[in-house]
Amino acid sequence: MEINPAVGSNDEKTTYAVGTSVRPTEGDATDEGLINASGHRQQLDRNFNLLSICGFAITAGNTWVALGGSIVRMFRIPQCVSCHKKARLLIEALIRTLQSPMVGWLLALASVCQIVGAQTVSMYAAFHPGFVAQQWHVFVSFLAITWVSYAIVLFCNRILPMFESLGGFFTITGVFITIVVCAAMPVVKGVGHASNNFVWRDWVNRTGYSSNGFVFLLGMLNGAYAVGTPDITTHLAEEIPRPSVNIPKAILAQFILGFVTTLLYIISIFYGISDLERVLEQGNRYFPLAEIYRQATGSAGGALGLLILSFLPLFIACVGLYLTASRTFWTLARDNATPFSPIFSRVSVKYRNPANAILLCAVLCSILGCIYVGSKTAFSAFVGSFVVLTTLSYLTAILPHLLTKRENITPGWFWMRGATGFVINGISCIYIAAFIVIFCFPFVLPVDPPTMNYNSLITGGLTLFVAAFWFWRRKEYVGPQQVRLANNEMLAKDAI
């Protein structure tokens, strides 16, 4: 490991641990000596701006489309870098043991690709009543979405910000049109809306649990999945100027727009349902939202139009998730925390991105798709653990920060001062601990292999595997280091 002295006064002995990934090697995208806030040499171009990073946030964290994609579970139940850096600086062993951000993002990627694949099949089935969808149909579409997204992320690095801005436009206009259509068409077709009691008061519990309160909490898994993860933009902190200012703004945009649009969207489609039993039992078994749209619009053509409005931002979300997963794996490889780190930590001179890490994500996602062909239960078990794994990664960042009295992190532009920060962090830890347990309960009773919730098995198995890997590689692990951010001539332009 190379150690470079800090630039500044003699009494401040800040150092920069720049590891193997910072040494100039053949294949690096740049040979500049400037570093970013993680202590690594700045290698990626800062192509994003505030508008494009907000588009990326509300598209890849597309709440209303994700909730629509998982809507059937709601009825049946009732029915960058910064997080990784902070946790490492506080309790390195804990974050290395769980190391769930990368796995969580890969599972999220596979999950969304499967949703888009199922949606394309359902759009075809809408105009072919005799068509019987098979798992391999969804798998073929899954592979097409996977590798087209891979090609866009690899070859179109410079236009990705514009692509994500377009996704933000599709997300906002798509939900607006969907809400208007679902609210107006039942009246136009003479079917009428669902009753207020159906939307706001009726409670259908088919889970087998006697406690409606517990069923409500278990059903919050849909909301957790739809919201996704607020840290999605932080993994692009090295690709946007002034990330300490712009990243929090993007997170705020993601949550405000996500809350408002999803609330209005879910109300409108509930009022458009005329036959709940058909949605649950006779609707397209791969994408029940298609049946909801058919009931709301009264025609297959109307359903197809609304599905296209959700397909476009959801496909761009796949591209964004590829971007996030590949950047996360590249970051870990740069810190020598993955197998074959010298290969996957390289940045392509030609494409100006971590091409090897991008390819690996596409291969791993395709392998997960093969599991779907063999067993939908096994595939659902893997991708269903996305919420648990990513939520645990937040706990490994927040809890050490709280236990160290919030003293080891330099305050940024947005900082909760005094007791407020302690209260919010404490509530967050309690909330995560409680819902991690709840989200591991079976979705229905009695339990059999197809309906079992395997989150606890996958999370526990992954933890043991990564813990063993940590003990094997801990001597080679470098990790990001604390650097002095003020008046530091070694920092790249707009690094903070």
Side-chain angles (χ1 to χ4, degrees):
M1 180 177 69
E2 298 177 356
I3 303 294
N4 294 334
V7 176
S9 60
N10 295 329
D11 59 339
E12 188 171 357
K13 301 183 181 299
T14 309
T15 60
Y16 303 94
V18 291
T20 57
S21 62
V22 183
R23 299 192 188 103
T25 59
E26 182 182 359
D28 281 340
T30 179
D31 58 1
E32 295 179 0
L34 299 179
I35 63 173
N36 52 46
S38 69
H40 289 285
R41 183 158 52 82
Q42 180 66 32
Q43 293 178 284
L44 302 180
D45 298 328
R46 297 186 184 272
N47 294 324
F48 283 81
N49 55 32
L50 180 58
L51 178 62
S52 57
I53 202 68
C54 288
F56 171 76
I58 64 176
T59 304
N62 194 336
T63 311
W64 71 271
V65 173
L67 188 63
S70 62
I71 194 74
V72 70
R73 181 176 294 177
M74 178 183 300
F75 285 124
R76 290 178 178 171
I77 292 181
Q79 281 190 149
C80 164
V81 177
S82 62
C83 286
H84 163 69
K85 174 187 174 184
K86 292 176 183 177
R88 190 274 177 192
L89 295 173
L90 297 174
I91 299 183
E92 179 179 274
L94 183 58
I95 191 63
R96 290 300 93 215
T97 299
L98 292 174
Q99 199 178 13
S100 53
M102 172 56 207
V103 180
W105 282 118
L106 184 63
L107 296 176
L109 172 61
S111 174
V112 174
C113 286
Q114 188 273 336
I115 290 176
V116 177
Q119 187 174 7
T120 56
V121 173
S122 69
M123 287 191 289
Y124 177 84
F127 288 92
H128 299 80
F131 173 74
V132 179
Q134 303 294 331
Q135 286 178 221
W136 70 267
H137 294 140
V138 178
F139 175 65
V140 171
S141 181
F142 176 97
L143 289 181
I145 297 297
T146 296
W147 288 96
V148 169
S149 299
Y150 158 78
I152 293 174
V153 173
L154 179 64
F155 299 117
C156 305
N157 188 56
R158 290 190 179 277
I159 67 171
L160 281 176
M162 183 180 64
F163 196 68
E164 294 299 332
S165 298
L166 186 64
F169 171 78
F170 285 146
T171 299
I172 296 174
T173 57
V175 71
F176 176 77
I177 295 173
T178 301
I179 291 171
V180 171
V181 170
C182 289
M185 288 304 294
V187 177
V188 174
K189 292 292 184 178
V191 178
H193 295 109
S195 66
N196 290 329
N197 285 339
F198 172 81
V199 175
W200 299 103
R201 299 186 62 181
D202 291 350
W203 182 265
V204 180
N205 180 2
R206 300 184 179 182
T207 64
Y209 289 102
S210 60
S211 172
N212 288 335
F214 178 78
V215 172
F216 173 81
L217 295 177
L218 185 59
M220 289 179 66
L221 178 62
N222 280 83
Y225 174 83
V227 170
T229 51
D231 72 312
I232 189 168
T233 54
T234 67
H235 301 283
L236 299 184
E238 297 181 25
E239 299 179 59
I240 181 173
R242 304 185 69 201
S244 63
V245 177
N246 291 324
I247 294 296
K249 291 179 180 178
I251 295 174
L252 183 63
Q254 175 188 349
F255 272 76
I256 291 178
L257 290 174
F259 172 77
V260 174
T261 57
T262 303
L263 178 62
L264 298 178
Y265 169 78
I266 202 69
I267 293 173
S268 66
I269 65 172
F270 276 8
Y271 274 108
I273 296 175
S274 58
D275 189 347
L276 178 60
E277 292 301 322
R278 183 175 178 84
V279 172
L280 295 177
E281 299 174 3
Q282 300 179 24
N284 186 291
R285 61 194 180 101
Y286 288 103
F287 202 72
L289 186 62
E291 173 61 24
I292 297 178
Y293 283 164
R294 190 200 64 79
Q295 292 184 17
T297 61
S299 67
L304 177 62
L306 294 183
L307 287 173
I308 292 175
L309 288 177
S310 62
F311 172 84
L312 293 175
L314 198 55
F315 171 72
I316 298 178
C318 286
V319 175
L321 288 172
Y322 259 107
L323 188 60
T324 301
S326 62
R327 296 306 193 262
T328 305
F329 190 85
W330 168 71
T331 300
L332 292 171
R334 186 178 61 178
D335 294 337
N336 210 22
T338 68
F340 309 107
S341 295
I343 296 176
F344 296 113
S345 64
R346 298 174 72 85
V347 174
S348 169
V349 174
K350 181 177 181 181
Y351 301 117
R352 310 288 294 180
N353 56 31
N356 294 337
I358 296 172
L359 176 61
L360 178 67
C361 289
V363 172
L364 294 178
C365 188
S366 299
I367 293 174
L368 287 172
C370 294
I371 296 175
Y372 177 81
V373 177
S375 171
K376 288 178 62 177
T377 300
F379 178 83
S380 298
F382 276 104
V383 301
S385 60
F386 154 71
V387 172
V388 173
L389 292 172
T390 52
T391 304
L392 277 175
S393 73
Y394 294 141
L395 185 64
T396 60
I398 300 173
L399 182 59
H401 183 45
L402 185 63
L403 294 178
T404 55
K405 300 180 181 180
R406 295 165 45 90
E407 295 177 349
N408 291 342
I409 300 295
T410 303
W413 289 93
F414 305 93
W415 178 260
M416 291 180 291
R417 302 179 184 277
T420 304
F422 285 94
V423 172
I424 297 298
N425 288 158
I427 293 175
S428 299
C429 291
I430 296 173
Y431 175 89
I432 291 173
F435 276 91
I436 287 299
V437 176
I438 293 173
F439 290 161
C440 289
F441 273 79
F443 301 127
V444 294
L445 295 177
V447 180
D448 54 24
T451 60
M452 176 60 184
N453 187 341
Y454 294 95
N455 279 341
S456 58
L457 175 64
I458 293 175
T459 303
L462 177 65
T463 300
L464 293 176
F465 172 79
V466 176
F469 183 77
W470 157 253
F471 284 107
W472 175 40
R473 293 294 299 272
R474 61 178 177 172
K475 292 183 179 180
E476 291 80 19
Y477 174 68
V478 179
Q481 304 293 310
Q482 279 185 317
V483 299
R484 180 164 49 81
L485 302 180
N487 301 319
N488 194 332
E489 297 177 2
M490 294 186 67
L491 282 175
K493 182 181 179 181
D494 294 328
I496 57 174

